[in-house]
Amino acid sequence: MVAKNVDPVITQKWARIRGILRSEVGDAAYRSWLKPLTLLSAKNGTVIVSVPTQFMRDWVVSHYADRLRELWVGQGSDIHSVDVVVQSVSQVTVVRQVVPNQPSSGQVQVSDLTKGPGQLSICSPLDPRLRFDNFVVGPSNELAYAAARRVADLEAARFNPLFLYGGVGLGKTHLMHAIAMHVRESFPEKKVGYLSAEKFMYHFVRALRMKDTVSFKEQLRSLDLLMIDDLQFITGKEATQEEFFHTFNDLVDNNRQVVISADKSPSDLYGMEERLRSRLGWGLVADISATSFDLRYQIVELKARKMKVEIPPKVIEFLSHRITSNIRELEGALNRVVAHATLVGRDISVESCHEVLSDLLRANTKKLTIEEIQKRVAQHFEIRLTDMCSARRARVVARPRQVAMYLSKQLTTRSLPEIGRKFGGRDHTTVMHAVKKVEELRSNDVRFDEDVDMLRRLLES
Ligand code: ADP
Ligand code: MG
């Protein structure tokens, strides 16, 4: 959407940007978060877009503000910042001269590396919400967290560089921003710079082209704390690596702190020069590994509290069990569930999660096999695995066998005849009977119900 008084050229650019965003984020995310954006004005280098709710504003600012800004800059306009404000749709359409006076886009400029008005700083803005106090600590990230805290306390003995590595969406960027926020608050005189390796490369290449590498280097070397995120992006780029190496050595030699993140440990960064790889491992190398159920549970709980929504424990448990890939995806799932409930005015339940998250749930589903189910169930009821397929009809083996059939139906996409075949060549009607029997028992016997539920969770986790 566009407010009435916006220049047609700008309107066209906006349409192009929306097209790009749509192809980048996919239809679902686009519909939920970006389609509702209304362009209010583009003046004095600043674009102002509105969203209908505070919740959406927070979401858009934290997830898309940087990209929006980049896209505007890429459109060759003189736009260099994007503000996101809250305004209901009805307010927007009657607006003539839009001068919303809601403050800020929620972004904080980290350092004063801007060369002048209208020009972008080579460092990226920080998200003020990525802080230590909302970083949930568990076994998978405690070393990285402790090291980050230590580094943020610039005075103490520290590791230089601090190298954080781990898979996507596990909290590397969060920790880096938290370090920067902490330093900003505790040591306001210190200069902090945070930028992605991609940005580093981009600015370096541009400086080369403008024959202005000296000031590029000076800017970086004036920092007390330099953070480079996603270093894997400069693998294979020799000139950039060389430059990075020199800047890095310079800073460390001058006792400035450097923090680096990547998706792999230094020794696994193929395409990175050997001497750089070994140099990167001189300080402390801390990995963030896959999350545990408990950590995911606590994170969902915390985010729900921050969003001020009441989420039933069953739903938190469901999300933490089922969205295991990474925390970004888990957060996305929570946001979708909450947004959906708000929009349609319904309570949040496990059923509504199934409905709203079907695509995510499918992607996160491990391919469970009937054999695994049989094994787990046999272990649980302490019967022999061979009895899953045997002809014995004694209750002690028949009941567990029925449970295994039931779970096979629930947790795999196998048909009844296929399941029957895997259980010693039984008929599909036997499987159907088992499913009915277990359902009946579950509704009549609480202990049995809990047992089956626990088995299901074990199998799904
Ligand atoms: P990475 O940089 O490793 O890909 P991010 O730092 O961007 O991952 O984390 C993805 C999302 O998950 C962010 O919104 C972040 O705030 C959140 N997150 C990650 N780890 C934690 C944690 N331990 N506690 C709370 N939120 C977390
Ligand atoms: Mg990151």
Side-chain angles (χ1 to χ4, degrees):
M1 259 189 294
V2 178
K4 271 185 184 168
N5 55 334
V6 174
D7 180 334
V9 177
I10 294 287
T11 305
Q12 253 177 19
K13 288 184 176 169
W14 181 224
R16 231 172 288 141
I17 289 173
R18 289 160 68 107
I20 299 173
L21 279 171
R22 185 185 200 122
S23 63
E24 286 179 351
V25 306
D27 270 351
Y30 178 81
R31 258 200 316 277
S32 323
W33 308 111
L34 297 165
K35 193 153 177 266
L37 294 178
T38 301
L39 180 66
L40 293 182
S41 71
K43 274 205 268 311
N44 309 325
T46 298
V47 159
I48 300 177
V49 291
S50 75
V51 290
T53 65
Q54 181 65 36
F55 170 62
M56 281 191 69
R57 178 185 171 279
D58 291 347
W59 185 255
V60 168
V61 166
S62 68
H63 291 78
Y64 302 114
D66 281 348
R67 187 64 189 135
L68 271 172
R69 196 171 21 242
E70 278 168 21
L71 287 171
W72 275 106
V73 173
Q75 288 296 312
S77 42
D78 61 346
I79 301 298
H80 54 79
S81 70
V82 175
D83 266 0
V84 184
V85 301
V86 182
Q87 207 163 68
S88 73
V89 177
S90 59
Q91 271 173 302
V92 176
T93 39
V94 294
V95 154
R96 303 249 89 207
Q97 204 61 25
V98 198
V99 193
N101 49 11
Q102 256 112 337
S104 84
S105 61
Q107 302 280 323
V108 178
Q109 210 63 34
V110 198
S111 61
D112 54 0
L113 291 177
T114 11
K115 286 187 191 158
Q119 263 185 296
L120 282 170
S121 152
I122 68 166
C123 292
S124 307
L126 292 178
D127 185 333
R129 278 159 312 165
L130 301 177
R131 309 174 57 90
F132 284 127
D133 56 25
N134 57 20
F135 187 84
V136 181
V137 185
S140 56
N141 60 22
E142 63 190 353
L143 174 64
Y145 173 81
R149 294 242 44 152
R150 174 78 77 86
V151 158
D153 200 1
L154 288 175
E155 310 302 351
R158 43 198 158 92
F159 325 100
N160 212 2
L162 169 60
F163 192 101
L164 301 170
Y165 77 93
V168 68
L170 295 180
K172 302 181 295 293
T173 300
H174 188 134
L175 278 180
M176 290 180 122
H177 282 236
I179 295 173
M181 293 305 293
H182 181 89
V183 171
R184 259 173 55 91
E185 285 164 11
S186 312
F187 312 97
E189 75 289 355
K190 299 283 188 195
K191 278 175 115 182
V192 182
Y194 163 88
L195 74 167
S196 65
E198 241 177 333
K199 272 241 170 83
F200 181 93
M201 204 164 74
Y202 167 80
H203 285 291
F204 175 63
V205 170
R206 202 175 63 166
L208 275 179
R209 212 183 305 130
M210 318 271 271
K211 303 197 174 11
D212 192 20
T213 49
V214 176
S215 79
F216 173 73
K217 289 176 196 174
E218 272 170 7
Q219 286 187 63
L220 290 176
R221 288 170 191 176
S222 69
L223 295 170
D224 296 293
L225 169 60
L226 171 64
M227 289 187 278
I228 306 270
D229 206 352
D230 291 320
L231 190 72
Q232 69 272 12
F233 285 120
I234 65 170
T235 53
K237 315 275 194 309
E238 269 166 38
T240 326
Q241 276 185 39
E242 189 69 23
E243 184 49 36
F244 173 73
F245 187 63
H246 289 305
T247 310
F248 172 80
N249 277 335
D250 232 54
L251 287 165
V252 174
D253 289 346
N254 286 295
N255 206 23
R256 313 293 174 81
Q257 181 68 48
V258 179
V259 181
I260 290 161
S261 87
D263 64 350
K264 296 182 202 67
S265 76
S267 50
D268 289 339
L269 280 173
Y270 304 110
M272 188 72 87
E273 257 189 82
E274 175 53 35
R275 61 175 177 155
L276 182 50
R277 276 195 273 162
S278 81
R279 185 77 180 81
L280 289 170
W282 280 12
L284 180 74
V285 177
D287 80 315
I288 305 187
S289 48
T291 55
S292 63
F293 170 76
D294 284 340
L295 185 75
R296 294 194 295 273
Y297 192 99
Q298 286 177 50
I299 289 175
V300 177
E301 232 180 358
L302 176 80
K303 307 268 169 192
R305 214 176 319 127
K306 285 258 146 62
M307 287 158 77
K308 299 194 170 53
V309 284
E310 197 71 50
I311 307 218
K314 267 220 148 49
V315 170
I316 302 185
E317 195 186 300
F318 176 80
L319 292 174
S320 319
H321 261 303
R322 298 296 297 272
I323 315 288
T324 54
S325 46
N326 67 57
I327 298 167
R328 184 170 307 133
E329 202 154 281
L330 184 60
E331 270 183 9
L334 174 66
N335 276 297
R336 260 161 72 178
V337 168
V338 172
H340 178 260
T342 318
L343 287 175
V344 302
R346 252 197 307 174
D347 286 346
I348 296 170
S349 64
V350 172
E351 288 70 47
S352 72
C353 290
H354 269 295
E355 211 174 290
V356 183
L357 303 174
S358 53
D359 55 333
L360 267 186
L361 293 173
R362 233 175 296 124
N364 274 276
T365 304
K366 273 191 310 190
K367 286 267 175 295
L368 257 184
T369 62
I370 292 179
E371 286 79 5
E372 283 171 81
I373 295 173
Q374 291 174 330
K375 213 167 118 200
R376 254 285 158 52
V377 175
Q379 264 169 11
H380 178 76
F381 290 101
E382 295 175 343
I383 64 169
R384 284 181 316 199
L385 181 57
T386 49
D387 274 333
M388 284 290 165
C389 303
S390 75
R392 283 183 66 198
R393 300 172 82 170
R395 170 81 64 84
V396 285
V397 298
R399 187 73 80 227
R401 195 187 292 134
Q402 286 176 327
V403 170
M405 287 182 188
Y406 167 85
L407 289 170
S408 300
K409 183 74 198 113
Q410 299 285 313
L411 303 176
T412 74
T413 52
R414 300 277 168 226
S415 65
L416 294 175
E418 280 173 312
I419 296 173
R421 240 171 283 137
K422 295 268 186 187
F423 283 83
R426 288 179 157 78
D427 192 63
H428 78 274
T429 51
T430 311
V431 184
M432 208 153 66
H433 173 73
V435 172
K436 280 214 192 96
K437 184 76 200 165
V438 172
E439 276 168 357
E440 189 188 305
L441 284 169
R442 286 192 73 171
S443 55
N444 294 332
D445 181 343
V446 182
R447 288 251 329 256
F448 180 79
D449 183 47
E450 278 172 0
D451 247 24
V452 175
D453 210 42
M454 196 194 69
L455 271 168
R456 182 186 56 76
R457 271 187 259 155
L458 273 174
L459 284 162
E460 276 178 347
S461 64

